[in-house]
Amino acid sequence: MLDTWSELEDTEYHKFDGIINFRDVGKTVNAFLGKKVLKEGILFRSAKLDDASYKDRIRLTEVYGIKSVIDLRSKTEHLNAQEKHKFLQKNLPLKIPGITYTRIILPSRRFELFLLWQLSWFNIFKFLFLYPLSRPHAISLISTHALGPLGLPSLSLNTLSHSSPSISLCLSSCLSGHPKIIHCTQGKDRTGLLTLLILLILHTPVQAITHDYHLTNSTSPLIRSIRLAEVREVGLPDSFAETDQAMVSSVISWLDATYGGVDGYLDAIGFGEQKRERLREILLCRGEDDNDAKEKDVGISPASPSASSSDLEEGDVVVVQMGKEVGI
């Protein structure tokens, strides 16, 4: 089994100009286990794609064949990305032509309300005053006084508890055989949590799941400084720039104690055994060639209402094709 990023990664992963924390989840797990268990070239994860160069975009679409993006960022994060893009006067559009974008807010608005109620009355009134005037400062208030004290493992557990409709929709958005990439801002916590659930569905050994999760830390000092700047900008402590050693074990223990395991949780949120088996067909090696899997469109379209939940709040998901909003 492999222990370091440099042993795992081949040089092509380092040819991106503006995309960090990128990896093929199947390739990562297979390299760690020393055998081909998952199909490669279908499920990717990364940090945000906003800074992708023209060469990066060609690599994503033509080399890796990416057809869809599942973006887990909040509305505030998207607004900040648009402002930064406008300020830098980049010639390339934020969205890559030819790719379908599914934006699912994770944590959901329900969880955001939960965080709001963790504030003191003074800070709640302060938040309500700041929000229409300066959304980033209002969000920073929640980050400093609610998210930061919560910590990364508790953040993941509360996301599972309060954002279950969004999580179900995220998983349903993976039910297609074409190559897709999941990302948030840093590709670390929200992306890591969703990837963890997918790997649990695939019965991946916990050691391999943990390895994939912690690869985020195996980066250059420059990239770590970028992550530090991003968490400080939104009012989070420096610890949020790294993965947490207790995260994977905490999630698995919570699922076992609360739902009797991951299957019980997924049944409760509407991602039942039939959908889980479809996901296994797409991502597990079962004697089917990877190229055949890519050509199959198995499962539920990201834009399909049947993939969502009645508990999902308006604005939690937007489906975009060729830069135009076309979905929920």
Side-chain angles (χ1 to χ4, degrees), residues 40-53:
E40 299 177 4
I42 298 178
L43 180 63
F44 299 85
R45 55 176 293 184
S46 75
K48 62 183 184 294
L49 305 178
D50 302 343
D51 300 322
S53 66

Side-chain angles (χ1 to χ4, degrees), residues 255-295:
L255 291 171
D256 289 341
T258 310
Y259 291 93
V262 66
D263 288 346
Y265 172 76
L266 295 170
D267 286 338
I269 70 172
F271 195 78
E273 179 56 31
Q274 184 180 7
K275 293 181 179 179
R276 298 197 291 272
E277 183 56 28
R278 285 180 180 178
L279 192 62
R280 295 183 194 111
E281 289 174 0
I282 293 164
L283 294 175
L284 281 178
C285 289
R286 290 176 169 176
E288 183 182 67
D289 186 80
D290 285 4
N291 291 328
D292 294 335
K294 290 180 183 180
E295 292 174 1

Side-chain angles (χ1 to χ4, degrees), residues 65-79:
I66 302 295
K67 300 295 184 183
S68 64
V69 169
I70 302 172
D71 186 338
L72 307 178
R73 293 177 295 173
S74 68
K75 185 175 181 179
T76 300
E77 288 172 296
H78 281 284
L79 290 174

Side-chain angles (χ1 to χ4, degrees), residues 102-320:
T102 304
R103 301 205 311 257
I104 302 173
I105 297 175
L106 193 70
S108 66
R109 293 188 176 185
R110 181 176 298 178
F111 183 48
E112 290 174 350
L113 287 174
F114 164 78
L115 290 174
L116 181 62
W117 288 110
Q118 306 310 301
L119 302 179
S120 65
W121 283 109
F122 173 77
N123 281 325
I124 288 176
F125 286 121
K126 188 176 179 181
F127 172 87
L128 295 174
F129 173 77
L130 285 173
Y131 193 80
L133 301 174
S134 176
R135 185 193 294 255
H137 285 90
I139 299 300
S140 180
L141 193 69
I142 290 184
S143 298
T144 301
H145 297 284
L147 271 178
L150 200 62
L152 286 173
S154 293
L155 171 60
S156 295
L157 301 185
N158 278 282
T159 299
L160 290 170
S161 180
H162 295 282
S163 302
S164 54
S166 293
I167 289 173
S168 180
L169 188 58
C170 286
L171 293 171
S172 293
S173 296
C174 294
L175 296 180
S176 64
H178 58 249
K180 62 188 63 65
I181 186 166
I182 303 169
H183 79 84
C184 48
T185 294
Q186 297 186 346
K188 181 172 66 72
D189 302 310
R190 289 166 287 184
T191 302
L193 178 61
L194 189 58
T195 304
L196 185 157
L197 288 175
I198 291 171
L199 292 178
L200 286 176
I201 293 170
L202 303 179
H203 306 305
T204 307
V206 174
Q207 296 92 331
I209 298 174
T210 304
H211 174 71
D212 172 75
Y213 172 69
H214 289 302
L215 275 180
T216 297
N217 292 341
S218 302
T219 54
S220 68
L222 174 61
I223 292 176
R224 186 177 184 277
S225 68
I226 293 172
R227 293 208 308 262
L228 277 170
E230 288 176 341
V231 300
R232 290 170 180 172
E233 184 179 6
V234 296
L236 289 170
D238 288 357
S239 59
F240 274 64
E242 302 288 339
T243 58
D244 192 284
Q245 292 295 322
M247 190 276 210
V248 174
S249 59
S250 295
V251 168
I252 293 174
S253 296
W254 183 83
L255 291 171
D256 289 341
T258 310
Y259 291 93
V262 66
D263 288 346
Y265 172 76
L266 295 170
D267 286 338
I269 70 172
F271 195 78
E273 179 56 31
Q274 184 180 7
K275 293 181 179 179
R276 298 197 291 272
E277 183 56 28
R278 285 180 180 178
L279 192 62
R280 295 183 194 111
E281 289 174 0
I282 293 164
L283 294 175
L284 281 178
C285 289
R286 290 176 169 176
E288 183 182 67
D289 186 80
D290 285 4
N291 291 328
D292 294 335
K294 290 180 183 180
E295 292 174 1
K296 278 188 176 182
D297 192 8
V298 184
I300 300 170
S301 165
S304 170
S306 62
S308 64
S309 165
S310 58
D311 294 329
L312 200 67
E313 297 182 20
E314 183 179 358
D316 275 346
V317 59
V318 177
V319 181
V320 180

